[in-house]
Amino acid sequence: MTEQHSHQFERGTDGPKVIVAGVDGSDSSLRAAAYAAGLARRQHALLAVVYVQPVLAAGAALGAPVAGTTDEIAEDLVAQIRDAAERLKGIFEVRWEFHTFRGDPYSGLVKAADELKADAVVVGASEQAGHRIVGSVAVRLVKAGRWPVTVVP
């Protein structure tokens, strides 16, 4: 057996152990999280729900408290996920964590998947042009070729 780079790990031998679900508050991203939760339950995997907070260039916000707004979105997402988990309690158990990364959606999800040692990534399809997670994010994740990627409509 040859020595691999320290950042690489074995994937796909017995199903995923860590599934990353990218969420941004859109309906498609919440469906993606629900789909990923089902995968995690069946595979006895950890569900890592990831919200990527956008980072705006200095002055782009024109004084608006954007960091506070994205923090509120993250807090709202956690509340929604906790509510869903409470409603489903006893139906099935899913181990899950919530993570926030900063950056553009693609780079943030790549960083999350790398740091969390994801075996699979699940994202929602873009619902409209210019949405918070644009359609090209899914395509770019697939083209990266580093994890199986599921796009949920």
Side-chain angles (χ1 to χ4, degrees):
M1 188 166 160
T2 61
E3 192 67 32
Q4 292 186 337
H5 298 292
S6 62
H7 71 279
Q8 292 183 342
F9 47 93
E10 192 171 6
R11 286 193 196 98
T13 56
D14 201 22
K17 295 298 175 208
V18 178
I19 299 170
V20 165
V23 296
D24 67 356
S26 66
D27 288 343
S28 68
S29 77
L30 296 175
R31 286 191 297 271
Y35 180 87
L39 288 177
R41 176 186 56 82
R42 289 186 295 279
Q43 296 291 334
H44 305 290
L46 172 67
L47 172 62
V49 179
V50 173
Y51 169 60
V52 180
Q53 287 185 301
V55 176
L56 300 180
L62 301 175
V66 173
T69 303
T70 59
D71 285 343
E72 287 171 22
I73 292 169
E75 289 169 17
D76 183 54
L77 288 169
V78 170
Q80 288 181 51
I81 294 161
R82 283 204 176 111
D83 288 348
E86 279 301 310
R87 284 194 307 273
L88 298 173
K89 207 170 201 171
I91 296 172
F92 58 81
E93 291 295 319
V94 175
R95 291 182 303 122
W96 66 278
E97 301 172 347
F98 183 84
H99 298 272
T100 301
F101 287 80
R102 291 190 182 276
D104 67 275
Y106 171 76
S107 299
L109 286 172
V110 166
K111 183 176 181 183
D114 283 345
E115 287 187 15
L116 299 169
K117 295 187 171 26
D119 296 298
V121 177
V122 180
V123 293
S126 175
E127 294 181 337
Q128 60 192 25
H131 207 271
R132 282 177 283 182
I133 290 188
V134 294
S136 64
V137 171
V139 172
R140 290 172 68 193
L141 289 168
V142 170
K143 286 183 176 179
R146 291 159 62 182
W147 327 266
V149 176
T150 301
V151 182
V152 176

